[in-house]
Amino acid sequence: MTQLSAAQNKPSDGSKALYGGLYGGKGTRRITVRDIALAKERGEKWPMLTAYDAMTASVFDEAGIPVILVGDSAGNCHLGYDTTVPVTLDEMTMLSAAVVRGTTRSLIVGDLPFGSYQEGPVQALRSATRLVKEAGVGAVKLEGGERSHEQIRLLVESGIPVMAHIGLTPQSVNAMGYRVQGRGEEAAQQLLRDAKAVQDAGAFAVVLELVPAELAAEVTRVLHIPTVGIGAGPETDAQVLVWTDMLGLTSGRVPKFVKKYANLREVMGDAVKAFAEDVVGGTFPLEEHSVH
């Protein structure tokens, strides 16, 4: 893939919304899958985070995060489920709409939850159409490689951009468990077939989750669409983390591949205790907090 010059990368419509790169670029329009494709041609790496509400999404949008995933990880992070499996399409539609309302620049990708596309392409189209029409997302994500090929193809042919997801697919936890995918020659070849299948079906990007770094690097070299790594080493085109893991809000253990950039759980806990102690001690509210 040849590198594009700076002049070639300027938007042809006269807008300079993204000139300067996906991350931190300035502008007044939404990032599109075309912008994502151009980043791959430039060799530009970019970050992606999950978000599940308008306020959190607005922070990430203002910080310049180019792609926000409304993941079904909301099931674990916000809805109190043990896995992503119970998450419904109604829940994903509500959460995705909130994230769209809280943002102006980021490309918003909504997850299709378990049971909303496995029956086949027609069910997948009905489900994806809800996220596009009712929530306003710019793309959808679904799990599976070769097995989801026909679903991806119909969605793309119908005008709905698709981000694929292979490797560890959390919706299949009951079948595969939480373990590294692609180890061994046979498994590696299957993952490569899955990656090529989603690309051939028209996916604009593919998430590689919990895949050996060397294999993820090979997939990234082979594909012309961007790869998004999570626990897949440093050579993918983009990196995604669940925001509650990245900012230290998640309790207990987090996956090895997570880097904590803050400890919000501690910050919030300290603030709550300070508020409670002020109330109990009679030092809140004071005169300046009172209305007359």
Side-chain angles (χ1 to χ4, degrees):
M1 193 75 67
T2 59
Q3 297 284 55
L4 297 181
S5 69
Q8 288 174 306
N9 279 323
K10 285 187 178 181
S12 59
D13 61 2
S15 167
K16 295 185 179 180
L18 295 172
Y19 190 52
L22 285 182
Y23 167 65
K26 305 299 181 183
T28 57
R29 69 171 177 85
R30 290 272 184 190
I31 288 170
T32 68
V33 296
R34 172 60 176 161
D35 300 314
I36 301 300
L38 288 173
K40 173 79 171 185
E41 293 183 11
R42 292 193 298 266
E44 176 188 344
K45 290 182 176 287
W46 46 273
M48 180 167 83
L49 285 172
T50 65
Y52 319 104
D53 66 271
M55 187 172 294
T56 304
S58 70
V59 174
F60 299 161
D61 190 60
E62 291 169 9
I65 297 298
V67 184
I68 295 177
L69 170 66
V70 190
D72 59 3
S73 48
N76 312 76
C77 300
H78 288 273
L79 302 178
Y81 301 136
D82 291 332
T83 70
T84 65
V85 174
V87 177
T88 68
L89 184 58
D90 284 342
E91 289 167 335
M92 289 306 306
T93 303
M94 176 191 68
L95 297 173
S96 297
V99 170
V100 171
R101 288 193 295 267
T103 58
T104 60
R105 180 178 181 271
S106 302
L107 170 64
I108 309 302
V109 181
D111 245 341
L112 290 179
F114 179 74
S116 70
Y117 61 93
Q118 280 83 357
E119 289 179 18
V122 174
Q123 185 201 28
L125 180 58
R126 283 198 301 266
S127 300
T129 298
R130 280 198 64 190
L131 288 182
V132 172
K133 288 175 67 71
E134 298 178 31
V137 302
V140 300
K141 182 174 78 64
L142 57 78
E143 295 182 0
E146 289 183 322
R147 63 184 167 87
S148 297
H149 178 273
E150 292 305 318
Q151 284 94 324
I152 295 171
R153 184 175 297 282
L154 179 59
L155 295 189
V156 173
E157 289 176 350
S158 301
I160 301 176
V162 177
M163 177 179 285
H165 184 157
I166 63 175
L168 173 66
T169 49
Q171 292 176 9
S172 303
V173 60
N174 292 328
M176 67 171 55
Y178 290 106
R179 58 189 178 86
V180 175
Q181 302 297 306
R183 280 182 174 158
E185 183 61 25
E186 183 177 347
Q189 289 304 312
Q190 180 59 58
L191 191 124
L192 281 166
R193 287 194 296 271
D194 284 337
K196 292 176 182 177
V198 300
Q199 175 176 267
D200 292 345
F204 75 90
V206 58
V207 173
L208 306 178
E209 181 167 359
L210 215 59
V211 172
E214 298 81 3
L215 179 57
E218 181 179 357
V219 172
T220 302
R221 286 192 299 270
V222 168
L223 298 188
H224 64 255
I225 62 173
T227 56
V228 183
I230 178 166
E235 298 302 320
T236 54
D237 298 298
Q239 296 289 335
V240 61
L241 285 176
V242 172
W243 87 262
T244 53
D245 294 342
M246 186 272 290
L247 289 176
L249 190 59
T250 305
S251 64
R253 296 179 60 188
V254 297
K256 176 185 176 182
F257 56 76
V258 172
K259 179 178 178 179
K260 288 187 180 181
Y261 288 82
N263 192 341
L264 287 194
R265 195 171 189 88
E266 182 178 316
V267 171
M268 291 173 69
D270 289 345
V272 169
K273 290 174 185 176
F275 162 71
E277 289 167 3
D278 281 357
V279 171
V280 171
T283 58
F284 178 83
L286 299 174
E287 178 65 23
E288 62 261 35
H289 308 119
S290 302
V291 177
H292 298 287

